[in-house]
Amino acid sequence: MTDNNLVLEIKDFSFTYASADAPSLKKINLPIEENKITAMIGPSGCGKSTLLRAMNRIHDLYPGNKYEGEINLYREAQEKENILHLKKENDFIKLRQEVGMIFQKPTPFPMSIFDNVAYGLKLAGLKNKTELKDRVEKALKDAAIWKETKDRLNQSALGMSGGQQQRLCIARAVALKPRVLLFDEPTSALDPISTGAIEELISEIKSEVSMVIVTHNMQQASRLSDYTAFMYLGDMVEYDKTENIFLNPKEKLTEEYITGRFG
Amino acid sequence: MSGKLFRNFSFLSATLSFFILVGIFAVLFTYAQDAMHEFGFDFLFNETWEADEDDEGGIFGGFIPIIGTLLSTLIAMLIATPLAMGISIFLTEIASETIAKPVSIAIELLAAIPSIIYGMWGLFYFAPIVHDIFGGNGVGLLTAGIVLAIMIIPFMAAITRDSMNTTPQVLKESAYAMGATKFEVIKDVVMPYAKGGIIGSIILALGRALGETMAVAFLIGSVMSLPGKITDPTTSIPVLLANNFAEAQDLEMSSMYFLALILFVVSFFIISIAKFYFLGKPVKVKK
């Protein structure tokens, strides 16, 4: 592992919620590699979602949380920026356009399918109608949902099935051409068939975007990811290639968790 | 046995309100018959309201109170709607909880003030201010409209706030996660999501403003003339009814029932639309 292909780098990162006395994350170190899928696993309350939500500073919608350490976002030419230093709304907007997020439940906006995908692009200042149309079409194709939606682009996105809505949300995020996509248990509200479609989609867009995925489902982590991080009670217990974590873990705690002895 | 009794009792209670509604309509309709036969459709457009000297008959038209009602309500809605939206956006999206709580309580308490108090306050304190700023007598359409607006704002703001509060947190987060600003989240996610509740609250407030009697009676001037400017005094349906009931007879009485019937039907339709069409179906995101 060299620094050459990092997209995010988390260094000695601690996080304390506004309402809590003790930190929820303690001195976390984690590299996120470019064009790879990094899975974060661990029992409920281990802090994996908290860590994920720090990577696009969505925590900052609620005031009073405390950050320590560094989260560096790498751009072209090795230029890096510690996103924990961002303060202005404009900087957050720029960060969130570079680091997109998909949530546990599908979150289509109350507008048409087309407008859902075009929304982020319009926010980013894209006004040209033909370009908008092309970008929306490309995003829907990338998210493998073009065939199902091309005849109903003007219909409300709320009428789609849960699995379709989640793929729409991915299309919406992909349309912005982010550097990183964060997935917070993206399939836990979906049936097995929709889950399969989402997983396939995630593997397909790997060539275009780096991804971090939080999941409760260990099979999902082993199927999808290149790297896996195991967290427990706010600590980063182990991080390695996925096959090593699942076949040959170094830590006893990791082994106990992936063999289902707790969690 | 007691179960049956209880069921019958609750059934009776539940249907009672329906019978009262029908009963009131029937009474208004029956008593309005004389005026309906005498004046027919022209009643709506006739500006005269004059009893003959012997009080037996006369010429009665509803144009002035109808226009007065519509205009005072319109002024109230124009002032109240943006303010109520601003209040509810502030309470749900901008204020911290420590501020939102006391402000919410204050707004709910404003809704609990009896309308006669608004009337008195409006007449003795507020009308002179309107007189100083806009001219006119103090009492008139504008004063009535502004005080009406103050009366319906808490009501509108409370319903709008509740429906904005139903916007799922994760939906707002996902808009922020795409780089939306607070304003864009409010405009594109919260407002469309709460649209049904917002329109419902506007329509319910409209119904209240149309029927408000006491405060308007103090403030509108109760003069049977068409307003030429916004500060002119005029009258409204509920005010005319309240002022004239004591001495009216025969045809005048029937004409007043006719006016009451018009107000009843309009309010009934407005509130039914709000209840059944907008407040009944909030936007739902499929799970």
Side-chain angles (χ1 to χ4, degrees):
Chain A
M1 275 184 280
T2 59
D3 279 357
N4 282 342
N5 46 9
L6 284 187
V7 62
L8 273 174
E9 180 188 40
I10 297 155
K11 268 190 182 169
D12 291 331
F13 175 65
S14 299
F15 180 85
T16 312
Y17 277 109
S19 55
D21 299 324
S24 301
L25 294 173
K26 292 164 255 174
K27 300 251 172 205
I28 301 285
N29 284 288
L30 179 71
I32 306 291
E33 300 218 4
E34 193 153 28
N35 295 105
K36 296 277 190 273
I37 300 173
T38 305
M40 297 202 285
I41 58 169
S44 301
C46 70
K48 53 193 191 303
S49 289
T50 306
L51 179 58
L52 191 80
R53 288 164 65 88
M55 294 181 200
N56 67 347
R57 299 282 305 265
I58 198 94
H59 279 304
D60 288 66
L61 299 181
Y62 314 98
N65 303 313
K66 287 194 273 302
Y67 298 93
E68 271 169 56
E70 293 175 33
I71 297 182
N72 294 314
L73 177 67
Y74 284 84
R75 301 206 170 81
E76 286 92 50
Q78 288 307 294
E79 181 201 337
K80 70 173 181 180
E81 179 179 30
N82 185 350
I83 62 167
L84 299 183
H85 290 161
L86 301 180
K87 286 206 175 64
K88 287 187 229 117
E89 193 179 31
N90 278 346
D91 294 334
F92 287 135
I93 289 171
K94 199 166 155 252
L95 170 70
R96 288 166 190 159
Q97 284 165 350
E98 286 178 297
V99 184
M101 191 169 213
I102 310 294
F103 295 81
Q104 194 167 356
K105 276 186 188 160
T107 51
F109 300 135
M111 45 180 97
S112 75
I113 293 172
F114 182 92
D115 288 340
N116 260 280
V117 182
Y119 186 64
L121 298 170
K122 283 185 191 159
L123 290 184
L126 186 65
K127 291 203 179 79
N128 184 320
K129 283 221 169 111
T130 28
E131 202 185 336
L132 258 182
K133 235 176 109 189
D134 292 345
R135 292 277 295 266
V136 169
E137 183 176 333
K138 170 148 193 328
L140 287 169
K141 278 178 177 160
D142 285 346
I145 195 176
W146 175 247
K147 275 193 194 124
E148 294 146 79
T149 53
K150 65 175 183 216
D151 298 323
R152 46 191 280 210
L153 289 175
N154 292 322
Q155 289 174 25
S156 167
L158 304 184
M160 304 165 92
S161 75
Q164 287 175 325
Q165 289 183 351
Q166 192 66 310
R167 276 183 284 152
L168 180 74
C169 291
I170 297 176
R172 195 168 73 182
V174 168
L176 284 171
K177 297 190 178 151
R179 295 183 52 71
V180 189
L181 265 186
L182 311 172
F183 292 84
D184 192 359
E185 300 184 36
T187 60
S188 64
L190 301 179
D191 62 84
I193 293 173
S194 308
T195 300
I198 300 279
E199 287 185 7
E200 201 176 317
L201 171 58
I202 289 176
S203 328
E204 271 167 24
I205 55 178
K206 200 165 86 172
S207 56
E208 296 184 26
V209 60
S210 319
M211 284 174 277
V212 185
I213 176 166
V214 162
T215 178
H216 265 299
N217 180 334
M218 275 181 278
Q219 283 78 29
Q220 185 166 62
S222 68
R223 276 195 301 263
L224 274 180
S225 65
D226 303 293
Y227 294 94
T228 298
F230 171 62
M231 295 178 70
Y232 186 65
L233 297 179
D235 286 310
M236 180 62 65
V237 178
E238 193 171 353
Y239 165 80
D240 208 335
K241 287 200 164 124
T242 297
E243 61 223 52
N244 292 345
I245 291 278
F246 281 91
L247 297 176
N248 196 11
K250 289 191 191 73
E251 301 287 331
K252 196 156 180 289
L253 207 57
T254 315
E255 187 187 340
E256 282 177 3
Y257 182 70
I258 58 170
T259 51
R261 252 173 276 171
F262 74 97
Chain B
M1 183 61 206
S2 68
K4 198 175 171 196
L5 201 70
F6 182 71
R7 207 175 63 205
N8 287 341
F9 175 71
S10 55
F11 178 75
L12 195 74
S13 316
T15 45
L16 191 63
S17 53
F18 175 74
F19 283 116
I20 291 175
L21 190 72
V22 174
I24 290 177
F25 180 81
V27 167
L28 292 181
F29 192 75
T30 318
Y31 283 98
Q33 281 304 310
D34 285 348
M36 282 164 120
H37 281 296
E38 184 75 26
F39 306 114
F41 204 60
D42 287 342
F43 183 78
L44 297 179
F45 304 103
N46 192 340
E47 293 177 27
T48 322
W49 189 279
E50 260 177 26
D52 290 344
E53 300 218 334
D54 56 2
D55 270 351
E56 295 276 292
I59 298 170
F60 303 104
F63 190 67
I64 292 170
I66 289 172
I67 289 296
T69 305
L70 293 180
L71 286 180
S72 57
T73 305
L74 181 73
I75 294 170
M77 298 307 292
L78 287 179
I79 297 170
T81 310
L83 282 175
M85 294 304 118
I87 290 171
S88 24
I89 288 170
F90 176 77
L91 290 179
T92 53
E93 301 299 324
I94 295 169
S96 67
E97 203 157 308
T98 44
I99 298 173
K101 262 227 171 101
V103 175
S104 289
I105 293 171
I107 285 172
E108 269 151 31
L109 288 179
L110 267 184
I113 296 177
S115 59
I116 189 155
I117 294 176
Y118 280 105
M120 286 172 64
W121 169 77
L123 182 63
F124 294 116
Y125 183 77
F126 195 67
I129 296 177
V130 173
H131 166 74
D132 289 344
I133 299 174
F134 298 98
N137 296 335
V139 293
L141 256 185
L142 183 65
T143 316
I146 295 174
V147 174
L148 260 182
I150 295 170
M151 292 175 69
I152 58 179
I153 280 173
F155 184 68
M156 258 166 115
I159 301 179
T160 305
R161 180 203 57 196
D162 288 347
S163 65
M164 285 182 173
N165 266 337
T166 62
T167 316
Q169 200 60 35
V170 66
L171 199 64
K172 288 189 256 172
E173 282 182 5
S174 59
Y176 283 116
M178 302 194 65
T181 59
K182 187 160 255 178
F183 171 73
E184 285 158 344
V185 170
I186 292 167
K187 173 170 74 76
D188 299 323
V189 178
V190 176
M191 297 285 272
Y193 199 86
K195 194 170 69 187
I198 293 172
I199 299 175
S201 81
I202 292 174
I203 297 179
L204 279 183
L206 184 68
R208 256 198 91 173
L210 281 177
E212 174 54 40
T213 314
M214 220 47 237
V216 180
F218 271 71
L219 299 170
I220 203 167
S222 311
V223 177
M224 202 62 184
S225 71
L226 274 181
K229 340 186 267 301
I230 198 168
T231 47
D232 279 354
T234 178
T235 191
S236 78
I237 298 176
V239 171
L240 181 133
L241 297 183
N243 287 343
N244 293 23
F245 242 105
E247 55 273 13
Q249 285 172 7
D250 302 332
L251 191 58
E252 184 175 8
M253 193 57 129
S254 178
S255 304
M256 284 165 58
Y257 273 107
F258 196 5
L259 269 181
L261 183 69
I262 292 168
L263 187 63
F264 177 88
V265 170
V266 171
S267 307
F268 181 81
F269 272 106
I270 283 176
I271 290 176
S272 326
I273 292 169
K275 284 278 186 203
F276 291 109
Y277 193 68
F278 291 107
L279 291 183
K281 326 185 262 199
V283 186
K284 277 204 179 110
V285 177
K286 268 196 182 173
K287 291 217 176 106

